[in-house]
Amino acid sequence: MTSSVPSAAIDLGKTRCRLLLTDGDERIRIDGDGAPGLASSQGVDAAVAAIDALLRHVDATLAHLGVGAAGAWVAPEEAGMLARRLAARTGASVVVASDVVTAHLGALGGEAGTLLIAGTGAAALGVDAGGARLVDGWGPDLGDFGSGSWLGREMLRAVVRADVGLGPETALTRVVTERVGAASVIPSWIARDEPLARRLATLAPSVLDAAEDGDVVARGIADEAVRLLTASAAAASSSVAVAVHGGLMDHPWFRAKLGASLVTAGRTVVPAAGDALDGALLLSRRTDLPHERFAHRAE
């Protein structure tokens, strides 16, 4: 590495945790497991553990550490606590914000517009001259409409309904039998003592594959996901520019469907300038951005 003092960025989601270490032109990335979210029980402890597992691989003194953490928007006190604990742990100047905020910064480079996130969870953050508005990001029990966890939940609902004759037969039954088990075991699978949103989201690609292949039930679920995500983006801001990212965008068929829906809603889909790691780095180095109101800093 060069002789400069390196900086790091963390993107802490519910499924995975990513670290980006920068030193001059050199960029090193390390991936690990995520955490349930700062708003959950013992959320700060879980976040520290997930981040610390990656920081152990960093053999350097950090100048700045920017963190985007799931749940920070609705748990500001916990976000501040996380910033203080990480500052004490690293000796760096630390900033913690919602992962939605850092993702917006990275995607739009600090400019106005809307970021629509469609991953394990779902949220739309709009930033314009009128301020900032977050739509959804409410977690799998209350919201995350159109997300991977939402798709997985709707898939299981369709299968248990079909099993007792309350819904039409669907190719999803075979997929669920292979991945989860018979319809009768789905309630116990749901009740397992493991992060549910993450497990549900692992089923989402199968829903989208079945929808693309023409299964009527799966197509209905996917169409509703597109409608819900589009509605969230439209409600977040009147800004025309919308950047979209998240794990669901790895599915080409679904990405095309969502893009077409956003265009029909009068939005322009713009390519993301960067990701949440880039946004966390930007927030760690600048305090003059409109996103500063959502930043929790500690030395």
Side-chain angles (χ1 to χ4, degrees), residues 131-182:
R133 187 180 191 194
L134 179 66
V135 176
D136 207 346
W138 301 318
D141 293 328
L142 187 61
D144 283 349
F145 296 114
S147 68
S149 61
W150 183 92
L151 284 164
R153 190 185 300 274
E154 293 304 306
M155 176 186 194
L156 296 181
R157 282 175 171 161
V159 170
V160 295
R161 287 177 61 81
D163 185 60
V164 295
L166 292 176
E169 293 184 0
T170 169
L172 296 177
T173 297
R174 176 184 56 79
V175 177
V176 169
T177 300
E178 294 173 352
R179 298 285 302 277
V180 176

Side-chain angles (χ1 to χ4, degrees), residues 38 42-50 81 85:
L38 292 184
Q42 305 299 315
V44 175
D45 289 340
V48 170
M81 185 184 304
R85 288 181 60 174

Side-chain angles (χ1 to χ4, degrees), residues 200-222:
L200 289 171
T202 64
L203 302 174
S206 298
V207 181
L208 301 181
D209 287 344
E212 184 178 11
D213 289 342
D215 182 79
V216 174
V217 173
R219 181 64 65 90
I221 293 172

Side-chain angles (χ1 to χ4, degrees), residues 12-190:
L12 177 60
K14 296 177 181 178
T15 300
R16 62 177 177 168
C17 183
R18 302 182 297 151
L19 180 148
L20 176 66
L21 180 67
T22 67
D23 189 358
D25 294 331
E26 190 170 4
R27 294 164 67 94
I28 299 173
R29 179 172 151 174
I30 306 169
D31 289 5
D33 293 331
L38 292 184
S40 66
S41 175
Q42 305 299 315
V44 175
D45 289 340
V48 170
I51 293 171
D52 196 52
L54 301 187
L55 288 175
R56 291 193 189 106
H57 299 283
V58 177
D59 185 20
T61 300
L62 300 176
H64 303 282
L65 175 61
V67 179
W73 186 283
V74 296
E77 291 185 8
E78 286 78 3
M81 185 184 304
L82 178 60
R84 292 188 294 272
R85 288 181 60 174
L86 291 175
R89 158 73 171 80
T90 64
S93 174
V94 176
V95 59
V96 174
S98 166
D99 57 343
V100 180
V101 171
T102 54
H104 188 285
L105 277 161
L108 294 160
E111 300 297 327
T114 299
L115 173 68
L116 176 61
I117 297 176
T120 299
L125 176 61
V127 176
D128 54 31
R133 187 180 191 194
L134 179 66
V135 176
D136 207 346
W138 301 318
D141 293 328
L142 187 61
D144 283 349
F145 296 114
S147 68
S149 61
W150 183 92
L151 284 164
R153 190 185 300 274
E154 293 304 306
M155 176 186 194
L156 296 181
R157 282 175 171 161
V159 170
V160 295
R161 287 177 61 81
D163 185 60
V164 295
L166 292 176
E169 293 184 0
T170 169
L172 296 177
T173 297
R174 176 184 56 79
V175 177
V176 169
T177 300
E178 294 173 352
R179 298 285 302 277
V180 176
S184 59
V185 309
I186 290 176
S188 60
W189 185 87
I190 290 285

Side-chain angles (χ1 to χ4, degrees), residues 29 37 110 124 139 239 283 292:
R29 179 172 151 174
S239 177
L283 190 62
E292 182 64 24

